[in-house]
Amino acid sequence: MKIGIIGLGDIAKKAYLPVLSEKEGIELVLCTRNKETLELLAKKYRIQEKVQTVEELLSKGIKAAIVSTATEGHFEVAEKLINNGVHTYIDKPISMNFDETEKIVNLAKEKGIIAMVGFNRRFIPRVKELKDHGKANLIVMQKNRFSAPDYIRRFVVEDFIHVVDTLRFLMATEVKDVKVEYIKGGDMLDSLVIQLIGEGCIAIGIMNRNGGVTEEVIEYMTGQDKFVVNSLVETTRYHHKEIGITKFGDWEPTLYKRGFYQLMDHFIDCVQSGTTPNPSILDSLITHELCEKIVNSIEGNPTK
């Protein structure tokens, strides 16, 4: 099966190319306008076919594509791919513009195309296994960054979207209500705290981008146990006075720990078998809708 990789920025270099270049039974075609990057990566991964435009890529007979361009380019590229019958994986978010996101979702449904959004945390072993411990009644997730405030929409839709989607995944129930609190510094959003309220579960999402540390911590609480996942790779279980720690072996690759092998395998398996991905593009739309609600809640209260 022939797969195109469009946009060869950081995430493609760090994750998609290393993972896909190891996979048997697929042939990669690289696509970017940057000729120097194209030549360098084609040589590094011994990839024969390389093009500079999506139109050239489509002429190569690809069956699927990984859209890893800058977010601003997602809509145009994904729309072109789907209209040409190419199964499409899109880095999160689908678009910064919610109307464009809806158009891509509807277009994929109309054309019968398999489309998927890159929410890798759903595939991270230490995150995924939390659900095996029973339904949580309270979940807290922090994804903080060192001194990096940002404009509201970019803060929420490009970064905080991971928190929203991971909490939805772990809640395993419909979100009935959303509560939003935040701190701004001028036009920039410094920190954000949300509550997602569902049947028998409250999930709290926190992001401080004007603090002293870059970190990611998930606390998952059931009736008798509390599990804390640090940096997505280590789990501490608390049960009354007992404490246990689960770690990966020394030889487990980082891209497995962070779910990228599993994520790419799932997308490719869905394309080959003609089955709907999990999460489906429709499920991912719910995450985008919640992010839009959060943005509107903040922008709709300028005096807060």
Side-chain angles (χ1 to χ4, degrees):
M1 183 171 74
K2 193 175 279 192
I3 299 176
I5 303 181
I6 305 162
L8 301 175
D10 281 348
I11 190 68
K13 292 174 185 173
K14 291 176 183 176
Y16 301 132
L17 272 168
V19 168
L20 291 171
S21 64
E22 290 182 13
K23 192 167 176 65
E24 295 181 1
I26 64 170
E27 185 181 343
L28 297 178
V29 185
L30 301 185
C31 178
T32 180
R33 292 186 183 131
N34 188 316
K35 191 171 182 180
E36 184 180 347
T37 299
L38 198 61
E39 296 292 341
L40 185 69
L41 292 175
K43 183 178 180 181
K44 179 177 179 178
Y45 290 100
R46 298 180 177 88
I47 295 170
Q48 299 301 314
E49 294 190 275
K50 52 189 186 295
V51 297
Q52 288 185 275
T53 67
V54 175
E55 287 74 18
E56 289 177 279
L57 182 64
L58 290 168
S59 73
K60 297 292 184 179
I62 58 170
K63 185 172 184 178
I66 310 297
V67 179
S68 188
T69 63
T71 301
E72 290 73 19
H74 285 186
F75 174 74
E76 182 183 353
V77 172
E79 183 181 46
K80 198 169 291 185
L81 292 167
I82 293 168
N83 274 325
N84 280 274
V86 177
H87 301 299
T88 305
Y89 168 100
I90 309 166
D91 268 343
K92 61 78 200 168
I94 296 173
S95 172
M96 293 291 283
N97 180 300
F98 185 69
D99 288 341
E100 290 183 349
T101 295
E102 282 191 308
K103 285 177 184 176
I104 291 299
V105 173
N106 292 332
L107 184 62
K109 185 178 178 182
E110 175 194 329
K111 299 288 185 181
I113 292 298
I114 291 167
M116 183 178 178
V117 184
F119 290 123
N120 69 301
R121 280 153 183 77
R122 292 187 179 226
F123 294 84
I124 290 173
R126 290 292 169 263
V127 176
K128 191 176 180 181
E129 70 190 11
L130 288 173
K131 297 174 75 171
D132 297 336
H133 300 302
K135 182 172 171 55
N137 50 38
L138 181 63
I139 306 165
V140 181
M141 181 174 180
Q142 292 191 61
K143 187 175 185 291
N144 300 320
R145 292 190 182 276
F146 177 76
S147 190
D150 209 340
Y151 293 106
I152 295 166
R153 180 165 292 275
R154 195 159 57 202
F155 183 118
V156 176
V157 181
E158 274 210 324
D159 197 1
F160 195 72
I161 193 169
H162 266 313
V163 176
V164 174
D165 191 72
T166 306
L167 291 176
R168 282 192 59 235
F169 170 66
L170 292 174
M171 288 174 74
T173 188
E174 182 184 354
V175 175
K176 301 286 189 182
D177 193 16
V178 184
K179 295 182 179 179
V180 180
E181 298 291 339
Y182 57 88
I183 297 173
K184 286 174 65 180
D187 292 335
M188 297 294 193
L189 190 59
D190 287 338
S191 57
L192 175 61
V193 179
I194 65 161
Q195 287 184 44
L196 302 181
I197 300 167
E199 187 67 38
C201 182
I202 296 175
I204 299 169
I206 300 167
M207 180 173 280
N208 184 2
R209 290 186 59 158
N210 197 19
V213 66
T214 295
E215 63 178 352
E216 190 160 345
V217 182
I218 300 171
E219 299 182 27
Y220 186 91
M221 289 162 260
T222 64
Q224 300 295 322
D225 296 281
K226 175 180 175 179
F227 299 87
V228 180
V229 179
N230 281 292
S231 302
L232 305 173
V233 297
E234 180 180 297
T235 303
T236 303
R237 173 182 177 258
Y238 299 88
H239 178 80
H240 194 40
K241 296 180 180 180
E242 300 173 9
I243 299 175
I245 298 175
T246 305
K247 298 181 179 181
F248 284 104
D250 291 340
W251 292 93
E252 292 285 4
T254 298
L255 292 173
Y256 170 80
K257 296 175 188 176
R258 300 189 73 86
F260 283 100
Y261 279 103
Q262 303 91 314
L263 179 59
M264 287 291 95
D265 282 348
H266 183 65
F267 174 65
I268 291 169
D269 289 346
C270 287
V271 170
Q272 291 177 329
S273 62
T275 53
T276 302
N278 183 13
S280 67
I281 193 80
L282 287 171
D283 184 85
S284 294
L285 179 62
I286 297 170
T287 294
H288 286 75
E289 284 176 331
L290 287 170
C291 287
E292 191 67 14
K293 281 185 180 180
I294 293 165
V295 169
N296 290 335
S297 176
I298 300 170
E299 292 183 341
N301 296 283
T303 59
K304 187 171 179 178

